[in-house]
Amino acid sequence: MFRSLVPLLIAAATAQAAPLAEHHASAPELMARPDLRLQQQNGTLAPAPDPVGTRQVIRARAGAKQAGKVGKAALILPFDPLGPGARIRVTAELFLPPGNPANSIHLFDLECKFCGPSGNPGLRLYLRHGRLRVDRKKIGGGHAWTDDSAPALTTGRWHLVTWELNLGTDAAPGRSQVYLDGQKVLDNRGRTLPDVPAKRAAIDRLQIGITANSNPETVTLYLGAVTLERWP
């Protein structure tokens, strides 16, 4: 039973958002969950008004990269380990304010804290010049799938980002599919789990928000609806 892999809703979904299941929580309620951790390294997370609406959302603000350390402001949601053959879906509403950098910002990390290697290996979904890309460097699968075909996000409006992962290794490759506002923009195949002994190849937590800011300036991001679930 994957108790923590129930849908997690920060705020009511917008008209763009896919239908969400029954488990709802406001931003303050989600941040008060006993199994939730906050990652704030030269950064902050706090409930805040929707910048273009009336609901409560979460504002993540991460400071500039300094002395080799990146700014971080992310939620960490743990779950029971998922190994080869499992499939997981993360959906989130994201809002980048106008004038905000849209490069070198990591948004979603699906990691394994207990696989053995230091650094919590896992896949990361990030922005490269405003376009969504997948970073595989930490799992030993190359830096990224060099696919820049995704359209750039627009600042000053909400976007719905969905990441679907089939978990796999070199022996039985997985698949990564990314959707922007309901349209598939990335579809890549290959290793999606850390390159460790097979019995330890798994993921066991989601980091979401600004998981790393490599910019020489502060970055702000708003999180609206968030769903974490297994999918058939």
Side-chain angles (χ1 to χ4, degrees), residues 30-211:
L30 179 57
M31 293 182 71
R33 283 176 57 105
D35 60 344
L36 181 79
R37 288 182 51 212
L38 304 182
Q39 186 178 51
Q40 299 177 101
Q41 177 175 291
N42 188 23
T44 59
L45 287 155
D50 185 329
V52 292
T54 58
R55 60 179 177 167
Q56 283 287 104
V57 293
I58 287 178
R59 182 184 64 234
R61 184 167 289 158
K65 185 175 182 179
Q66 297 178 347
K69 286 191 174 182
V70 296
K72 299 182 180 185
L75 308 175
I76 302 176
L77 297 165
F79 48 84
D80 294 336
L82 296 174
R87 300 200 289 182
I88 186 171
R89 178 191 288 128
V90 182
T91 301
E93 291 179 293
L94 304 176
F95 183 100
L96 285 169
N100 200 74
N103 186 49
S104 299
I105 305 169
H106 286 77
L107 304 170
F108 302 172
D109 295 2
L110 283 164
E111 300 184 330
C112 189
K113 184 175 178 61
F114 301 107
C115 287
S118 61
N120 303 323
L123 288 182
R124 298 179 289 180
L125 184 65
Y126 73 110
L127 288 177
R128 182 179 186 271
H129 304 304
R131 301 176 188 275
L132 294 163
R133 285 186 68 170
V134 177
D135 184 346
R136 296 197 299 164
K137 184 176 181 180
K138 291 182 74 175
I139 68 167
H143 177 67
W145 282 297
T146 54
D147 185 345
D148 281 324
S149 60
L153 274 66
T154 302
T155 60
R157 58 154 289 192
W158 285 100
H159 285 286
L160 185 71
V161 176
T162 301
W163 192 14
E164 295 178 346
L165 278 180
N166 295 36
L167 301 181
T169 62
D170 291 333
R175 186 178 185 183
S176 167
Q177 299 175 85
V178 179
Y179 296 79
L180 179 62
D181 299 326
Q183 299 297 313
K184 187 187 293 185
V185 295
L186 295 173
D187 190 347
N188 307 107
R189 297 175 187 269
R191 172 178 284 277
T192 54
L193 286 171
D195 190 5
V196 298
K199 65 181 180 181
R200 289 193 277 120
I203 56 172
D204 58 23
R205 67 179 191 167
L206 166 71
Q207 291 189 67
I208 187 167
I210 304 173
T211 69

